[in-house]
Amino acid sequence: MIRLRSPRFGRSPQIRRIQITARDREIVALVARHRFLRSTHITALLGTLSQQISRRLQLLYHHGYLERPRAQLEYFYRGGSSHMVYGLGTKGAALLRDAASDSCGESNWSAKNRVVGRIFLQHALLVSDVLVAAELACRERDGVRFIPQHELFAESIRWHVKTNGERKRSVIPDAAFALERTAPDGSTERANFFLEADRGTTPITRTNPAQSSFRRKFLAYEATWAQGIHQRQFGLHRFRVLTVGTSAARLKALRAECSKLQSGKGLFFFLHKDALANPASLLDAVWTSPQSLQPVSLL
């Protein structure tokens, strides 16, 4: 008997029926939380054999619970990574709503995720790379717990801040998370982080300060700290800003620009994405700061 291979980016009417399991719900919830995940992300987070996860992902996709954004097609055409990327499907959003989670809203997620562009998808995957690595790192470290964004903020993160006498501007981090460390005596201490994923698409500086740039991001976070917005609006005692980039030269330039800040240099840590290949190291002294030549630790 010849078994026909299911299409990668088209749903097959011949796919076998699916009975949704608790593990399927867990997969859909993970994808919804991160927006986009590679199959390897899902396997690592669930700690399950990749073949088992691949079979469930295939079924969830062909039955409309997950989407495979077509922006990843170029990877396959170029002979690159074959790790499939998944986004939330409309039936997956309905599944989560039925489970008393309304975080996915009523949007047509299938259509929304099918039309994302290559640059948006690459940026979103870098965010997922960092968050997944950080969560895995905490699992390897006794006494450290990873707290995802949805446990810190009931809604999406956004605030307004005024810098250098200009009008108020929006600040929207790419993501947020916290690390909670438990001491031997049972006391806990929490470190909060805002994430900026840098693929080199945003200019470091602009002649027009009103235009988007990394310098403007630095100034906005500095003003957020100085004005106590993090405490007043979110109840955060303190925070750091993590920038993970794809270019060593650009990260060096970002640190140099950040070092020009008057009072907020200590808020910022930087890391090259290659370090994410070893998630356990993310809690070690691998981050760089504008203030020190020595690497620093998130803890």
Side-chain angles (χ1 to χ4, degrees):
M1 178 180 178
I2 300 176
R3 298 187 64 181
L4 298 177
R5 182 175 180 176
S6 300
R8 278 176 169 165
F9 297 97
R11 291 193 168 93
S12 171
Q14 299 177 333
I15 201 75
R16 67 182 177 88
R17 297 180 63 182
I18 186 173
Q19 182 173 356
I20 297 297
T21 65
R23 177 49 56 87
D24 293 332
R25 294 177 187 274
E26 193 174 2
I27 291 173
V28 172
L30 274 177
V31 174
R33 190 213 305 176
H34 288 273
R35 184 64 192 276
F36 294 109
L37 285 177
R38 295 185 180 89
S39 59
T40 48
H41 289 147
I42 299 169
T43 300
L45 289 171
L46 296 181
T48 307
L49 293 176
S50 59
Q51 287 186 340
Q52 295 177 3
I53 294 296
S54 294
R55 285 194 291 269
R56 297 314 296 180
L57 289 173
Q58 183 183 53
L59 285 175
L60 289 168
Y61 165 68
H62 284 285
H63 285 282
Y65 292 91
L66 296 178
E67 282 296 331
R68 292 171 175 171
R70 298 185 68 85
Q72 66 186 300
L73 270 168
E74 67 174 276
Y75 296 128
F76 296 96
Y77 289 153
R78 294 179 181 180
S81 171
S82 60
H83 300 309
M84 190 67 72
V85 176
Y86 289 91
L88 185 65
T90 299
K91 289 178 69 174
L95 183 70
L96 297 180
R97 285 197 301 272
D98 291 343
S101 171
D102 60 357
S103 61
C104 299
E106 300 292 336
S107 300
N108 186 339
W109 280 94
S110 292
K112 188 175 181 179
N113 287 331
R114 277 199 302 267
V115 299
V116 298
R118 176 181 57 85
I119 293 176
F120 182 93
L121 181 62
Q122 289 177 341
H123 181 269
L125 285 173
L126 180 55
V127 173
S128 294
D129 287 340
V130 178
L131 296 178
V132 170
E135 184 167 353
L136 294 176
C138 291
R139 294 181 186 181
E140 297 292 323
R141 187 71 61 94
D142 291 338
V144 181
R145 182 170 75 95
F146 178 84
I147 304 176
Q149 178 175 316
H150 71 276
E151 293 185 21
L152 297 171
F153 304 95
E155 300 176 352
S156 58
I157 323 164
R158 180 176 186 154
W159 67 91
H160 294 86
V161 64
K162 195 172 184 179
T163 62
N164 296 333
E166 299 178 349
R167 64 181 179 84
K168 285 189 175 182
R169 302 188 184 280
S170 296
V171 183
I172 309 175
D174 289 328
F177 66 93
L179 302 179
E180 187 176 79
R181 183 166 51 179
T182 302
D185 63 1
S187 62
T188 60
E189 183 179 12
R190 181 176 294 186
N192 304 290
F193 300 97
F194 295 122
L195 174 64
E196 294 289 340
D198 176 50
R199 291 190 55 83
T201 56
T202 300
I204 296 177
T205 61
R206 297 257 201 177
T207 54
N208 182 355
Q211 293 181 306
S212 177
S213 69
F214 248 92
R215 174 169 175 76
R216 203 174 85 172
K217 289 177 185 282
F218 293 150
L219 291 171
Y221 282 117
E222 180 185 49
T224 298
W225 174 267
Q227 298 168 24
I229 295 174
H230 58 295
Q231 295 178 327
R232 187 168 60 254
Q233 189 164 333
F234 303 114
L236 302 180
H237 177 60
R238 55 188 177 184
F239 70 90
R240 302 273 189 185
V241 181
L242 308 179
T243 300
V244 177
T246 58
S247 163
R250 181 172 162 91
L251 285 170
K252 183 178 179 180
L254 285 171
R255 289 197 305 273
E257 187 61 38
C258 187
S259 68
K260 300 175 184 177
L261 295 175
Q262 292 184 355
S263 60
K265 294 184 283 291
L267 294 174
F268 300 92
F269 291 166
F270 300 84
L271 186 71
H272 193 280
K273 71 176 290 292
D274 286 353
L276 303 177
N278 180 18
S281 71
L282 293 192
L283 303 185
D284 297 330
V286 296
W287 299 81
T288 56
S289 164
Q291 290 184 309
S292 173
L293 296 177
Q294 298 298 320
V296 292
S297 167
L298 298 186
L299 299 177

